[in-house]
Amino acid sequence: MNEKPRILVVDDDTALLQALPQALYIRMQDVDVDTSDSALEALDLLQKNDYDAIVSDIKMPGMDGLALLAKVQELRPETPTLLITGHGEHDLAVQALRGGAYDFIQKPIDRDYFVAALRRAIHTRQLRRQVYEQQLALKLHAGSLEGLVQRRTRELVEANAVKDKFLSIVSHELKMPLENLKGMTQMLQRQIETSTAPDLIHRGLADMERSLDRTEVLVQDLLDTSLIETNMFTLHRKRCDLVELCRQLLDEYTAGAGPDLSFDYLGKPIEVEVDSDRICQVLINLFTNARKYSPKGSPITVTLQQSGYEATISIRDMGVGMPEEVIPYIFDQFYRAPSVEVQNGSRLGLGLGLYISRKIVERHGGRIEVISSPGKGSVFSIILPIHVDPQAENVEGIATLTPHTQAIWTMVR
Ligand code: ADP
């Protein structure tokens, strides 16, 4: 980079060929000058050396300066060429510039002008070289970055595959002993129901069963996540009435020790084509969250609406709610708000419930929407496409239906 600049002077006039380098050495000590008395020889030198600038007379016998300029443009397009023209040869000067000359110098040569023009040319060449080197460095850097991204992506994909495999193995392995334990606990419970076993044993068994239920949900969540991540998650869709599906589920969910249920309104059926087990799984998850994040005694309202080709199930709670900025993250795998207050003695889950719920709803061609604010509760809405019979006469009519409520339930405990 900091080498002495090197220039080539071409002229058939040997007197000038000696005088010009002399003039240069006096004014520019830091330059190497090669000379050539013909364009052909100059071409030879050009092949071997990368000059910082070339100065050539235009008029020379054989190959002239303009032809040499054309060759320089071809061989060394980055090297600036200055052409020397006779006094008043304006046409030639214009031709030189059009041909790509960096500058032209008129005879008789003004030494100071000549040196200044040459300095500019050398500077330009050096700048061009710097730009080229920086471009090259950037290209190399971009190349190595690209390689790095590819390597990291490969590593991530591999790590993910290992994680999914691990999830699948662990959840499968846990499922069996869990089911055994649960079966045995239930059997023991049936056995002692008839006997006069101490209260402690009754309570102990009931506790065990609750813990097992909770573990079962966690294992099932892990299994579902692994199925989703490995693209093995399949739906078994059937046509059914969404109003009836919700009614049955709420009846089961609130049976026994569950919350009290009241329905305020029950309307016409809404036909959908869904995997009802999976939709129930989503609803149970949303009911459980609504209870988990609300104070005891506050109502949870479930509303079923139809609007055009969409059915919406909304679950509204009056609980702790959440700040708007966390909403985009609650559907991420393993997301748990760091400071969320859990009510009713519930425990925090693995943060997989909403992730799985969203995937299930999306697989049905639907979506989940959330409205929430801290202290004011949340509304989770599941929006599903309704089933449209292409044979039906009134297909267009459905799309223009104004939104209307088909059912409302309230749970309180
Ligand atoms: P978790 O098992 O931790 O409840 P989820 O995926 O079901 O996992 O929920 C993720 C997070 O979303 C929760 O940790 C909680 O912060 C927030 N969340 C979900 N439902 C509600 C709700 N009804 N009210 C307030 N926060 C909620």
Side-chain angles (χ1 to χ4, degrees):
M1 213 55 251
N2 293 324
E3 274 175 16
K4 268 187 182 178
R6 188 162 188 186
I7 63 161
L8 174 65
V9 180
V10 190
D11 203 324
D12 62 314
D13 178 346
T14 42
L16 206 61
L17 204 57
Q18 278 183 351
L20 282 179
Q22 293 296 331
L24 284 177
Y25 286 134
I26 293 167
R27 292 168 177 80
M28 296 171 75
Q29 287 84 1
D30 54 346
V31 64
D32 280 334
V33 185
D34 287 350
T35 54
S36 164
D37 62 2
S38 78
L40 276 178
E41 192 201 357
L43 274 180
D44 210 30
L45 288 166
L46 260 173
Q47 307 268 14
K48 294 179 199 145
N49 304 299
D50 182 17
Y51 290 106
D52 290 281
I54 296 164
V55 184
S56 170
D57 196 0
I58 281 204
K59 282 188 179 160
M60 289 186 291
M63 187 183 208
D64 69 1
L66 287 172
L68 176 64
L69 173 67
K71 278 284 177 194
V72 175
Q73 300 276 326
E74 213 179 288
L75 290 172
R76 303 267 184 198
E78 300 296 317
T79 308
T81 305
L82 293 100
L83 291 179
I84 302 169
T85 60
H87 181 69
E89 291 176 338
H90 292 297
D91 285 355
L92 269 185
V94 169
Q95 243 180 298
L97 292 178
R98 286 211 178 124
Y102 180 78
D103 204 350
F104 66 92
I105 295 150
Q106 281 196 332
K107 283 182 190 168
I109 295 171
D110 173 334
R111 302 293 198 251
D112 290 329
Y113 179 83
F114 173 59
V115 172
L118 202 54
R119 272 195 211 282
R120 273 205 311 277
I122 291 169
H123 187 58
T124 302
R125 172 69 188 116
Q126 285 176 344
L127 285 179
R128 281 180 192 164
R129 198 174 280 143
Q130 269 177 27
V131 168
Y132 175 74
E133 278 164 10
Q134 280 166 357
Q135 275 174 343
L136 208 66
L138 269 177
K139 224 177 180 168
L140 275 174
H141 190 58
S144 76
L145 271 182
E146 214 169 289
L148 188 72
V149 169
Q150 275 170 3
R151 223 172 29 252
R152 290 277 183 272
T153 311
R154 233 187 354 261
E155 283 168 13
L156 254 176
V157 169
E158 282 163 14
N160 247 332
V162 171
K163 183 207 73 182
D164 292 334
K165 192 158 178 219
F166 176 76
L167 267 184
S168 157
I169 292 171
V170 170
S171 36
H172 271 115
E173 287 297 312
L174 282 171
K175 216 174 150 74
M176 273 293 277
L178 251 180
E179 272 166 15
N180 276 342
L181 271 172
K182 209 172 160 188
M184 272 152 60
T185 327
Q186 282 164 353
M187 189 194 72
L188 280 174
Q189 224 156 14
R190 277 196 301 275
Q191 288 282 314
I192 61 165
E193 255 161 30
T194 48
S195 72
T196 50
D199 200 31
L200 195 68
I201 296 187
H202 280 289
R203 268 190 285 140
L205 276 174
D207 277 355
M208 271 172 77
E209 201 168 358
R210 265 198 302 279
S211 298
L212 284 170
D213 282 347
R214 228 170 8 236
T215 320
E216 211 172 31
V217 172
L218 294 184
V219 170
Q220 192 55 48
D221 277 0
L222 285 176
L223 204 58
D224 283 345
T225 304
S226 143
L227 288 177
I228 291 168
E229 293 290 297
T230 49
N231 265 332
M232 310 274 274
F233 192 85
T234 43
L235 293 179
H236 304 285
R237 286 169 176 248
K238 275 202 189 91
R239 228 181 285 169
C240 67
D241 168 20
L242 202 56
V243 180
E244 182 55 18
L245 185 89
C246 291
R247 194 193 61 74
Q248 268 181 17
L249 179 71
L250 278 158
D251 275 349
E252 279 168 34
Y253 187 75
T254 52
D260 293 335
L261 177 71
S262 62
F263 74 85
D264 305 320
Y265 177 77
L266 206 54
K268 282 201 287 267
I270 302 177
E271 196 169 6
V272 284
E273 195 166 357
V274 295
D275 183 328
S276 47
D277 288 343
R278 289 302 188 181
I279 292 298
C280 285
Q281 179 184 348
V282 174
L283 288 170
I284 290 173
N285 183 34
L286 296 182
F287 297 161
T288 312
N289 274 352
R291 291 177 68 199
K292 196 152 79 171
Y293 300 107
S294 334
K296 226 172 181 169
S298 79
I300 292 158
T301 318
V302 182
T303 312
L304 193 45
Q305 282 184 311
Q306 187 182 343
S307 168
Y309 289 114
E310 288 181 338
T312 305
I313 312 168
S314 303
I315 294 109
R316 175 193 297 272
D317 67 59
M318 318 280 263
V320 292
M322 63 192 113
E324 203 177 330
E325 59 273 17
V326 310
I327 294 177
Y329 302 102
I330 58 176
F331 295 97
D332 288 352
Q333 259 186 72
F334 303 110
Y335 174 84
R336 292 161 61 159
S339 59
V340 75
E341 252 187 76
V342 181
Q343 318 278 321
N344 303 325
S346 304
R347 285 160 198 239
L348 275 172
L350 286 177
L352 287 172
L354 286 180
Y355 164 74
I356 296 167
S357 298
R358 192 190 64 182
K359 292 281 177 184
I360 292 176
V361 174
E362 284 177 355
R363 282 291 172 91
H364 281 86
R367 62 189 189 278
I368 301 189
E369 288 175 358
V370 186
I371 302 170
S372 187
S373 66
K376 295 207 177 115
S378 315
V379 185
F380 280 77
S381 298
I382 304 171
I383 295 132
L384 290 169
I386 63 165
H387 177 76
V388 183
D389 185 354
Q391 308 292 313
E393 282 172 12
N394 200 14
V395 175
E396 276 96 46
I398 298 174
T400 55
L401 276 181
T402 44
H404 57 286
T405 304
Q406 295 289 49
I408 306 172
W409 293 268
T410 311
M411 287 189 268
V412 190
R413 191 154 102 134

